[in-house]
Each structure stands twice: as structure tokens, then as C-alpha cells.
Amino acid sequence: MTHVEDELTSQPECWARAAAQAPEYAEVLPGPGERVAIVGCGTSYFMAQAAASLREDSGQGETDAFAASEFPYGRVYDRVVALTRSGTTTEVLDLLGRLKGRTRTTAITADPHTPVRTAADDLAVLDFADERSVVQTRFATTALTLLRAHLGLHPATAVTDARTALTEPLPERLVDCTQFTFLGRGWTVGLANEAGLKMREASLSWAEAYAAMEYRHGPISVTTSGTATWMFGDAPDGLAEQVRGTGALWIAGALDPLAQLVRAQRLAVAVAAARGLDPDRPRHLTRSVILAH
């Protein structure tokens, strides 16, 4: 079993633990009414997108999401939350350094014994979700689970659904597709973005992600019989029929959307195996991006 597979299958237990620990971090995570930005890089940025949408849509305060390298320093926030598994990513540390003494910051990390310990004002530590693999799975979903639970938006069914996602067979013909398109609405747009990234990282697949309604404004034109179009959450009326009309394979599910992301992670590993690739050794990638200054 690869590191990716081992870490992927441990997610239900990690989610349960993070949800249980959420009250311990209530004081360092955003409070109701605060103006908040959530930042990260790569996978963590896509989890930031999902968390920001969940928080704002639930009426708990204006919330933005940014790639750490694109943070708008001219804006004023009550708190900035940084998602960083390694605690060493250059762009995140640079951001936290620039905000020191001016904006309260919290880092959600898997390794508190790294530079993030002093760079951030507060830490939420998910060391039990740390990973050896380059292609992240469990830290990202566990960090999002912590935030969902903090917001009161972690459903009791999420962990059960994650276990189902690990055991339920993938749809027939899915692994044989040559193009993968992931769609979301609201908070699940971030999940769709992350699913596309996992496919590219692990299996070198042609993978894209869009807001579901935007998919009709051009991208659907490249959909063919070799395409799998995967919807996270509820689809807009008529979209499934429109996609099936192109000859594509339409994938939808009744599981919690975060559990659907676990299925997409499984798909990435399955496609990698079918193509003779090692998902533990993705091309041109490292566990943490540390840039020389």
C-alpha cells in the first residue's frame, strides 16, 4: 500500500477526532461577526475556499479565501487563518510575518515544531493528520472538518459517509475515462478544485474544475464520450441531462460532499495504478514548497 492509500483510508478516524477537538480551539478560530480571511497554498487554498464559503453563507461573518501569495494587504481583517500542513511553506510564512503585530493570525498545522510556531499568533494542531505523502489527502479534509465543526456545520453523517466512500465501488467505466471534470456550487466549488488537483498530481490526468453554472458557459463544449463529469453536492436543474447528452459519464452521489472528495481521491489513485504511475512520487512536486530568497 502506498503512503497516499494508507493516509486516504484513515480519514474517517481523523475527522471524528478533529470534530471532537473543535471546542478546544474555539478561542483561536474565527468568532461570529469577525471579518476573516482564510489562506493556503495548493490543496490548502482549495480547503480555504470551501471553509470561507461555508462560514459566510451560514451568516457568521464576511469571509474571504486567498492563495497565500495573492493576499491583498490593503484590506483589513479581524483574523487571518492560515492552513499549512508542513508549517514551512514559504508563501504562508511570508504572509504571517507581514501580518505580525497588525492582524491576529491562526495557523492550522500538522507540525507545531516548525517556523509556523512563532510566525502565527495562535495554533490549532492536527498532528494526528500529518502525512508522509506529497499528494495530500487527510490533513486537508481534517482541517476542513475542524472548521466545519467549529462553525456548527459538521453533520453527524459525514464520518459514516466517509467510510462508505472508502468501501463503495467506483462507478463502472470511470477509471477508463480520459478527461475528468469536477463541478461544485457554493462551498463545494473548493472541493471540485481539489478533486481536479488530485487527479493531476497523482495520475497526470486531464482534469478541470468549475462552478456548476459556469460549466455551461463554454467548458461543456469539450465534453465527450471519454469525459467523466462529477458533481459535488446538488446539481442545477437540467445539468445532468445536458451532460449525458454529450455522451459523457455523469457522476453524482448522495454522500456528504466532503466524503465525495474521498471517492475522488480514490479515483486518482486508481487511475494512477491503471497507468503504471506511483502516486507517492508525483512529477516535479515536494512535500513542502520552500523557496530560496
Side-chain angles (χ1 to χ4, degrees):
M1 181 177 289
T2 63
H3 295 318
V4 172
E5 291 172 290
D6 181 55
E7 291 156 3
L8 193 162
T9 57
S10 67
Q11 288 176 99
E13 290 70 32
C14 287
W15 295 7
R17 189 166 173 181
Q21 289 186 352
E24 299 175 23
Y25 293 115
E27 296 304 313
V28 303
L29 294 174
E34 286 187 340
R35 189 166 191 257
V36 173
I38 309 177
V39 302
C41 300
T43 288
S44 291
Y45 170 44
F46 297 141
M47 296 299 100
Q49 289 178 330
S53 181
L54 278 170
R55 183 174 186 269
E56 186 159 317
D57 288 349
S58 66
Q60 300 192 42
E62 184 176 341
T63 316
D64 296 321
F66 301 103
S69 59
E70 300 300 320
F71 185 80
Y73 290 95
R75 296 190 187 183
V76 177
Y77 292 97
D78 298 309
R79 183 178 294 274
V80 172
V81 178
L83 307 182
T84 171
R85 179 199 56 77
S86 69
T88 59
T89 302
T90 298
E91 300 100 300
V92 172
L93 295 177
D94 286 350
L95 167 66
L96 294 173
R98 291 185 64 177
L99 294 178
K100 197 76 169 178
R102 120 181 202 203
T103 302
R104 195 76 186 173
T105 59
T106 296
I108 301 176
T109 186
D111 190 350
H113 307 294
T114 58
V116 77
R117 180 175 191 144
T118 55
D121 297 311
D122 301 302
L123 291 184
V125 180
L126 303 174
D127 50 1
F128 56 88
D130 202 358
E131 297 169 288
R132 295 179 63 185
S133 58
V134 177
V135 177
Q136 287 190 53
T137 55
R138 73 181 178 194
F139 174 76
T141 59
T142 301
L144 182 53
T145 296
L146 176 71
L147 291 169
R148 288 180 86 187
H150 173 69
L151 295 170
L153 300 173
H154 172 68
T157 56
V159 172
T160 302
D161 281 358
R163 293 194 175 103
T164 299
L166 289 169
T167 56
E168 186 179 73
L170 293 172
E172 291 185 16
R173 300 192 295 118
L174 186 56
V175 173
D176 297 326
C177 289
T178 56
Q179 176 189 357
F180 300 89
T181 301
F182 299 95
L183 307 177
R185 302 179 81 181
W187 76 283
T188 68
V189 172
L191 304 186
N193 286 332
E194 171 58 10
L197 179 63
K198 286 286 98 64
M199 293 300 300
R200 293 188 291 272
E201 288 178 330
S203 66
L204 306 183
S205 294
W206 176 8
E208 302 172 311
Y210 304 97
M213 292 299 288
E214 284 298 303
Y215 180 57
R216 301 183 185 195
H217 291 272
I220 195 171
S221 64
V222 297
T223 301
T224 71
S225 59
T227 303
T229 302
W230 185 315
M231 182 73 212
F232 285 89
D234 296 330
D237 291 342
L239 183 58
E241 291 75 18
Q242 197 170 0
V243 169
R244 291 191 185 105
T246 69
L249 178 64
W250 172 259
I251 305 295
L255 301 178
D256 179 81
L258 195 56
Q260 287 289 348
L261 180 58
V262 174
R263 291 183 77 207
Q265 293 169 345
R266 285 181 57 209
L267 173 63
V269 172
V271 174
R275 297 178 179 178
L277 300 172
D278 182 354
D280 281 342
R281 292 177 173 80
R283 292 196 308 181
H284 316 309
L285 297 177
T286 56
R287 286 183 75 240
S288 175
V289 176
I290 302 173
L291 305 175
H293 288 285

